[in-house]
C-alpha cells in the first residue's frame, strides 16, 4: 500500500511539473510571438523610411529623373539620393553597402546622411567627401561600399561624377550606341587614401545616364540580372520610350528575370535624362 501511495505521489508530482513546464512554454511562446510582431513592425517602419529616402521623380524643366529600388530583404544596403544645390544643379548618388539586411541598411542610412547633409556642392568637394567616407568605413573594420557620386548641371548639359568601385554608369545617347563610363577608383573602405578621379560626361538633348547597383546586372546569375550586354540592349531599345515608362518596363523585366522571387541582391537604379 505504501508503495502504491508513493507511486501515485510521484505521478502527481510529475504531472504537476509537466503542467508548470507547459505553462512556462506557453508564456515563452506568447512572448516570442510578441517579439516577432515587434521585429516585423520595426522592419516595416524601417522599410518605409528607406523608401522615403528615394529621390522624387523630376518630370518637368530641362531634366527628367526616375529611380527604382528593390531590396533583397525587407530593407537593403543600397541607397539612392538627390539634393538640389544652391546654384540650381543637382547632387545625386547611388551607394551599395556590402552585405544585406539590417547591418547593411544601417550603414546605408548613415552614408545617405553624410552625403545629403550638408551636400558637396563643387566637383572638388565630391572627392573630399569620398575621401572622408573612405576613412570612416576603414575605421569600422570590414565594412565597405561602392558608390557613384555626381553633380548634374542645372540645365542638364553635363554631369561631373566619380565612381568608387561601383558598376560602370551607362551613357545612352539619343543618337548613337550606349556605352559604359569606365573611369573610376577603388571601393570605399578598402584602402587608405584611395583616389577616385572625376569624369565629365556631356549630355546632349535626349541623352540619358543610367546609374545602377550590381543587383541589376548580376542578380541570380543566369536566371537573374540583365548582364552588361542585356542592360545595354535594353536601354538601346528604350530610346523612344518616355523615361518613366522605360524604368517601369525595366522593373518588370528584372522581376521576370528573377522569376517573381525576391532578388538575391539589392537592386537600385537612377536614370537622368536631359530633356529634348
Amino acid at each position: 500500500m505504501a508503495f502504491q501511495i508513493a507511486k501515485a505521489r510521484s505521478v502527481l508530482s510529475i504531472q504537476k511539473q509537466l503542467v508548470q513546464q507547459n505553462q512556462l512554454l506557453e508564456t515563452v511562446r506568447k512572448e516570442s510571438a510578441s517579439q516577432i510582431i515587434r521585429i516585423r513592425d520595426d522592419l516595416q517602419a524601417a522599410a518605409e523610411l528607406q523608401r522615403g529616402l528615394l529621390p522624387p521623380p523630376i518630370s518637368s524643366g530641362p531634366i527628367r529623373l526616375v529611380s527604382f529600388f528593390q531590396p533583397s530583404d525587407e530593407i537593403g544596403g543600397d541607397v539612392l539620393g538627390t539634393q538640389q544645390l544652391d546654384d540650381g544643379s543637382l547632387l545625386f548618388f547611388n551607394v551599395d553597402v556590402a552585405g544585406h539586411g539590417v547591418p547593411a541598411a544601417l550603414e546605408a542610412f548613415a552614408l545617405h546622411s553624410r552625403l545629403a547633409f550638408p551636400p558637396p556642392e563643387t566637383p572638388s568637394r565630391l572627392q573630399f567627401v569620398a575621401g572622408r567616407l573612405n576613412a570612416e568605413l576603414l575605421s569600422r573594420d570590414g565594412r565597405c561600399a561602392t558608390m557613384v557620386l555626381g553633380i548634374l548641371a542645372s540645365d542638364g548639359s553635363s554631369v561631373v561624377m566619380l565612381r568608387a568601385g561601383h558598376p560602370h554608369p551607362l551613357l545612352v545617347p539619343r543618337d548613337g550606341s550606349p556605352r559604359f563610363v569606365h573611369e573610376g577608383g577603388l571601393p570605399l573602405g578598402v584602402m587608405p587614401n584611395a583616389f577616385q578621379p572625376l569624369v565629365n560626361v556631356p549630355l546632349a538633348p535626349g541623352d540619358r545616364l543610367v546609374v545602377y547597383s550590381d543587383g541589376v546586372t548580376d542578380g541570380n546569375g543566369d536566371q537573374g540580372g540583365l548582364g552588361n550586354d542585356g542592360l545595354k540592349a535594353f536601354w538601346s531599345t528604350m530610346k523612344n520610350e518616355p523615361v518613366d515608362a522605360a524604368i517601369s518596363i525595366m522593373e518588370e523585366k528584372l522581376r521576370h528575370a528573377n522569376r517573381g522571387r525576391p532578388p538575391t541582391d539589392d537592386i537600385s537604379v537612377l536614370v537622368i535624362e536631359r530633356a529634348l
Side-chain angles (χ1 to χ4, degrees), residues 28-256:
V28 171
R29 185 192 68 79
K30 290 180 179 178
E31 290 178 351
S32 297
S34 177
Q35 289 175 355
I36 290 172
I37 291 172
R38 286 198 298 270
I39 292 171
R40 184 188 62 198
D41 290 345
D42 287 346
L43 284 173
Q44 289 177 347
E48 290 178 7
L49 177 61
Q50 191 165 43
R51 287 193 295 271
L53 295 176
L54 292 175
I58 299 174
S59 57
S60 61
I63 63 173
R64 304 287 182 268
L65 186 143
V66 294
S67 64
F68 163 54
F69 171 68
Q70 184 182 10
S72 59
D73 296 314
E74 286 87 352
I75 53 178
D78 283 11
V79 65
L80 296 164
T82 59
Q83 185 81 13
Q84 197 78 38
L85 303 179
D86 290 341
D87 64 356
S89 58
L90 186 74
L91 176 77
F92 67 90
F93 52 86
N94 183 194
V95 180
D96 181 0
V97 176
H100 308 291
V102 174
L106 290 175
E107 191 68 72
F109 284 134
L111 292 176
H112 185 283
S113 177
R114 298 288 196 280
L115 289 166
F117 308 103
E121 299 199 11
T122 64
S124 62
R125 291 293 295 179
L126 296 179
Q127 290 179 308
F128 173 82
V129 168
R132 184 184 65 186
L133 295 181
N134 185 58
E136 288 183 10
L137 287 173
L138 282 168
S139 71
R140 298 194 280 276
D141 294 338
R143 184 64 70 189
C144 61
T146 66
M147 176 178 71
V148 167
L149 175 65
I151 296 175
L152 172 66
S154 58
D155 62 357
S157 62
S158 66
V159 164
V160 178
M161 64 181 178
L162 59 80
R163 183 180 65 85
H166 210 68
H168 305 117
L170 181 67
L171 177 63
V172 186
R174 181 169 178 81
D175 299 315
S177 300
R179 66 174 181 86
F180 290 108
V181 181
H182 291 286
E183 293 87 347
L186 293 173
L188 306 175
V190 172
M191 182 180 295
N193 302 316
F195 176 75
Q196 286 85 25
L198 292 174
V199 56
N200 192 303
V201 181
L203 295 177
D207 288 357
R208 294 170 175 173
L209 183 69
V210 184
V211 180
Y212 57 95
S213 65
D214 58 4
V216 172
T217 48
D218 296 344
N220 294 331
D222 293 339
Q223 299 176 356
L226 305 179
N228 290 336
D229 291 341
L231 183 67
K232 287 174 67 175
F234 173 81
W235 283 102
S236 182
T237 62
M238 290 291 109
K239 287 184 178 182
N240 294 323
E241 289 286 345
V243 68
D244 54 345
I247 199 75
S248 296
I249 295 170
M250 183 181 187
E251 181 179 351
E252 183 60 32
K253 190 174 182 67
L254 284 166
R255 285 203 177 97
H256 179 74

